[in-house]
Amino acid sequence: MRVDTIHLLVLIQEVFSAKVKLVSEFLSGYQMTENQLKLSSKLDLINVISCGEIVSHSNPLAEIKLVRNGIKVQVVYAFASVIDWDMATVAKVIGTTSTTLSRNKAKLLSSQISERALEIARLSMVGIEYFGNIETWNAWLNTAHIQFNGRAPRTVLNSIRGRELIRNFVKQLQYGFTA
């Protein structure tokens, strides 16, 4: 049994390393290295969505500056790849369309859309931390729950209140409140 667990961990590390390498190559024009995508054993999605400008524990003023300047559209593609979402889903939750993103790859997102992208990255880190991996987090987001009126949590990701509900529900799960 122990050998199977070790084998599984090695396999997960290989898959993660392959994804990091793919994203690193994708962002090579932005000088983002493989080491910038990794933060010890924990994936820092804030680092990914900001193209290495900030990390999850950066000064809030650095986040504000990033949002005001705008996040690079091309980085949104890397973020989608890392969390295994299609661009239509990412575009919808950040408040734009995949067509708009594909037409403006070399541009910066507006401050409002940049802020939403940062919030989605932060919320995804909370979910991934609780559920243990990206796949389980995504499965949970796509599963209908009574707490969301029989809908999947992903359907409310595009609103501030929806993201707040998801965050609060995950925290309740974390502390054992299931009702």
Side-chain angles (χ1 to χ4, degrees):
M1 185 71 160
R2 177 118 173 105
V3 173
D4 290 339
T5 304
I6 292 170
H7 179 70
L8 180 60
L9 289 172
V10 168
L11 184 62
I12 289 170
Q13 172 119 17
E14 289 172 1
V15 169
F16 177 74
S17 294
K19 271 195 172 192
V20 168
K21 185 176 180 185
L22 176 70
V23 171
S24 181
E25 289 171 2
F26 184 77
L27 292 172
S28 62
Y30 294 108
Q31 288 81 36
M32 189 172 192
T33 66
E34 189 172 330
N35 289 335
Q36 288 174 307
L37 288 173
K38 291 183 192 177
L39 187 65
S40 66
S41 62
K42 181 175 145 183
L43 179 63
D44 189 344
L45 295 175
I46 303 300
N47 195 10
V48 174
I49 199 71
S50 71
C51 196
E53 290 183 39
I54 60 173
V55 295
S56 59
H57 300 325
S58 288
N59 181 331
L61 294 175
E63 278 189 35
I64 292 169
K65 180 181 177 189
L66 174 73
V67 166
R68 283 187 180 153
N69 292 337
I71 290 173
K72 298 169 181 128
V73 171
Q74 192 165 6
V75 175
V76 175
Y77 282 85
F79 175 75
S81 175
V82 169
I83 63 171
D84 208 18
W85 291 3
D86 60 66
M87 282 310 296
T89 300
V90 173
K92 182 178 178 184
V93 301
I94 65 172
T96 189
T97 66
S98 53
T99 306
T100 301
L101 291 175
S102 67
R103 273 189 279 143
N104 299 309
K105 280 186 181 176
K107 295 188 178 181
L108 298 172
L109 295 172
S110 70
S111 60
Q112 188 176 25
I113 294 173
S114 294
E115 189 163 35
R116 284 189 213 126
L118 202 55
E119 287 175 13
I120 295 300
R122 194 172 301 286
L123 177 60
S124 292
M125 285 179 61
V126 169
I128 292 165
E129 184 177 329
Y130 173 75
F131 289 103
N133 59 53
I134 292 169
E135 293 76 19
T136 308
W137 165 240
N138 286 332
W140 182 83
L141 281 174
N142 290 318
T143 303
H145 296 281
I146 195 165
Q147 294 82 358
F148 297 94
N149 291 334
R151 298 183 336 185
R154 188 178 304 271
T155 62
V156 298
L157 269 173
N158 62 340
S159 71
I160 293 170
R161 186 71 175 130
R163 290 187 295 272
E164 185 179 304
L165 287 171
I166 292 170
R167 179 176 280 108
N168 288 340
F169 187 70
V170 170
K171 284 183 181 179
Q172 288 174 354
L173 289 172
Q174 197 171 19
Y175 294 106
F177 301 118
T178 57

